[in-house]
Amino acid sequence: MWTDKHRGIRVSQQELLCKNACGYYGNPAWQGFCSKCWREKARPAAASRQDTRPSNDGTPLTFSKFEEKKSTEKSRRINTVRKLFWGSPSPPKRQESSERHANLVRAFQSLEPGDFTGFLKILKSPSSQRLQSRCTAFLNTMEAYHGLPVQKQSDLVQDFYQSFAEYFRSVPEAQVTQIMEHVEKLIMTRLHKWVFCHDSCDDEQKDLALQRRIRSLNWVTPQMLSVPFPDEKIAVMGDPFLPAITAIIEMDAKRAPQDKLACVSKCSQHVFEGLSTSNSEPANADDFLSGLVYVVLKANPPRLHSNMQYVIRFGLPHSLMAGESGYYFTNLSCAVAFIEKLDGPALDLSPEEFEGYMLRQRAPTEGKRKQISSDTQHLLEELQGRQEKLDQGMDALNVQLQNWVQAVHSQLDEAAAQFALVQKEITAQVKLSPVVSSSSNDASPQGDDKNESVLVLADQHAGPQDTDC
């Protein structure tokens, strides 16, 4: 892929494609094949080993035949685990009515790209109970059998993706892709702690080896990699590739493979932006790969090998085989492979010079020291500018806070004045109420006297009549 005749990194578009000439992107982790061709190549070999049966011709079993029988029984147990949550290899029969299925499919089709919350709402609806049960059963089974080898877990997850996608055979491929991205995020966010950097593989050791390798190459300059870098005459605040470095470091904090791929895509886009800042001409594939190597060397991302293997094993195949994310991830794999095999001729250095740098027997050149000093000065100026903006923001916030306090005080004063007026009205009404009650009391005795005189007269007239009776 890289030759000693040219300085820096040289890679053609054809070298990024699958060796099987299927048109998809290959990957060094799959020996240059795409994920589909690699699985088709690897599975028949595993199946031929599993189909080997010891002959029962009356001869005693040898140790090799005993091992074959043992592996056969192990594969049979793994197939039994698959049947626990899949049943038969054929697609499951649809028990719901065609109308209900069509309504459910339309509900999933109405989702906007990236609307994971909406996907969960539809999946939790009563009409999606069957799909939800399948996801729950798969997750519970994977957690129960988390001790399986990581490659077997990868096969189970990929089989689940394929079987789940069969439910949406009538949906256009682009929409199926969006739905499966939600499914991948749901499944792998839950399984991340069980399958990431699994004990059955040596990802942790390879992570440490890659980190040590990148740390030993911290003396490599952009000029050695032929990365277009801004001249001192061009006013650039800090390293133009700093956003790309930040994006690639963020990959380790994500859990879903598509989110990790999104960090790779974001990093690659920032690399193109940094190249456009540094060079007036459009960046080509060689410049991009060189810039990506520089970013990886500067960032030294945590658990880079484990993150890449996690995406390869449990990501959706279409995300790695084609499209923008597949192109960027393939270039990242090439960049890591280049770093692992980096030597003097690739940096336009003699073997002695390269060995001297690796053994810390040679120091950076004067130009390198000037570049580091310039970068440090730019970084200090950038930090100073940020501090000034922060101070201005604090001053503006203090002014806003004082204005708000004054407004609150004025509102409180207005409310107190209104309350005082209301209190005066209430006091005046209380003072008027005894006067009204006393006047009513004065009027009531006269009425009582009249009533009593009327009663006396009535009694006088009624007396003789009572005696007569």
Side-chain angles (χ1 to χ4, degrees), residues 197-207 305-306 313:
C197 199
H198 198 265
D199 295 337
S200 63
C201 57
D202 57 349
D203 289 346
E204 186 175 359
Q205 290 77 11
K206 291 184 177 180
D207 282 331
H305 176 80
S306 294
R313 292 165 182 157

Side-chain angles (χ1 to χ4, degrees), residues 8-52:
I9 308 172
R10 297 294 181 268
V11 58
S12 64
Q13 183 71 16
Q14 189 65 27
E15 290 176 302
L16 297 177
L17 298 178
C18 176
K19 289 167 58 177
N20 206 21
C22 64
Y24 294 114
Y25 290 114
N27 196 288
W30 299 318
Q31 298 180 5
F33 292 95
C34 68
S35 62
K36 181 179 179 181
C37 295
W38 173 251
R39 292 182 184 278
E40 291 177 354
K41 179 184 177 183
R43 284 191 174 184
S48 63
R49 291 194 301 269
Q50 293 176 4
D51 291 341
T52 304

Side-chain angles (χ1 to χ4, degrees), residues 82-127:
R82 292 185 181 182
K83 292 180 180 180
L84 286 177
F85 47 85
W86 282 132
S88 61
S90 59
K93 296 181 180 180
R94 295 180 173 84
Q95 299 178 358
E96 64 270 14
S97 63
S98 58
E99 183 179 358
R100 184 178 180 182
H101 176 263
N103 293 334
L104 181 60
V105 169
R106 281 196 295 269
F108 279 107
Q109 285 183 281
S110 63
L111 285 173
E112 295 292 335
D115 187 9
F116 184 65
T117 304
F119 170 78
L120 293 179
K121 290 181 180 179
I122 298 176
L123 189 64
K124 292 180 180 179
S125 63
S127 59

Side-chain angles (χ1 to χ4, degrees), residues 140-321:
N140 293 336
T141 308
M142 288 291 294
E143 291 182 5
Y145 292 90
H146 64 272
L148 290 174
V150 67
Q151 190 56 46
K152 296 295 182 183
Q153 293 179 337
S154 174
D155 293 339
L156 292 174
V157 171
Q158 295 298 332
D159 291 343
F160 178 81
Y161 291 157
Q162 185 176 0
S163 178
F164 200 97
E166 287 291 328
Y167 192 84
F168 301 96
R169 286 182 294 180
S170 60
V171 180
E173 184 178 356
Q175 293 180 340
V176 175
T177 300
Q178 295 178 6
I179 296 173
M180 291 309 301
E181 287 178 353
H182 295 309
V183 175
E184 179 214 84
K185 191 169 186 177
L186 171 66
I187 296 298
M188 296 316 303
T189 301
R190 176 89 171 266
L191 297 180
H192 178 270
K193 63 180 180 180
W194 300 111
V195 300
F196 183 81
C197 199
H198 198 265
D199 295 337
S200 63
C201 57
D202 57 349
D203 289 346
E204 186 175 359
Q205 290 77 11
K206 291 184 177 180
D207 282 331
L208 295 175
L210 182 59
Q211 283 188 348
R212 287 194 294 266
R213 175 66 175 175
I214 294 176
R215 198 178 300 116
S216 66
L217 295 170
N218 60 357
W219 48 269
V220 177
T221 64
Q223 291 75 18
M224 293 179 179
L225 295 170
S226 299
V227 179
F229 216 77
D231 299 330
E232 297 181 359
K233 299 179 181 179
I234 303 176
V236 178
M237 298 298 292
D239 192 338
F241 298 100
L242 184 60
I245 295 172
T246 304
I248 196 65
I249 292 176
E250 290 176 352
M251 181 173 63
D252 187 58
K254 307 299 180 180
R255 303 181 70 179
Q258 59 181 284
D259 293 337
K260 293 182 182 294
L261 278 176
C263 291
V264 176
S265 300
K266 183 179 178 181
C267 169
S268 302
Q269 292 169 1
H270 285 308
V271 169
F272 277 112
E273 293 175 0
L275 292 174
S276 63
T277 303
S278 306
N279 194 1
S280 59
E281 299 179 358
N284 53 32
D286 294 336
D287 292 339
F288 166 66
L289 191 55
S290 300
L292 190 59
V293 170
Y294 170 74
V295 167
V296 174
L297 290 176
K298 292 286 289 184
N300 197 0
R303 301 189 294 184
L304 179 59
H305 176 80
S306 294
N307 282 293
M308 294 176 62
Q309 289 298 316
Y310 177 75
V311 173
I312 290 173
R313 292 165 182 157
F314 302 103
L316 292 171
H318 72 270
S319 300
L320 302 178
M321 294 164 55

Side-chain angles (χ1 to χ4, degrees), residues 360-373:
R360 300 294 189 271
Q361 296 176 356
R362 296 177 62 91
T365 60
E366 184 67 24
K368 173 63 177 177
R369 287 196 292 268
K370 289 183 179 180
Q371 182 65 40
I372 294 175
S373 176

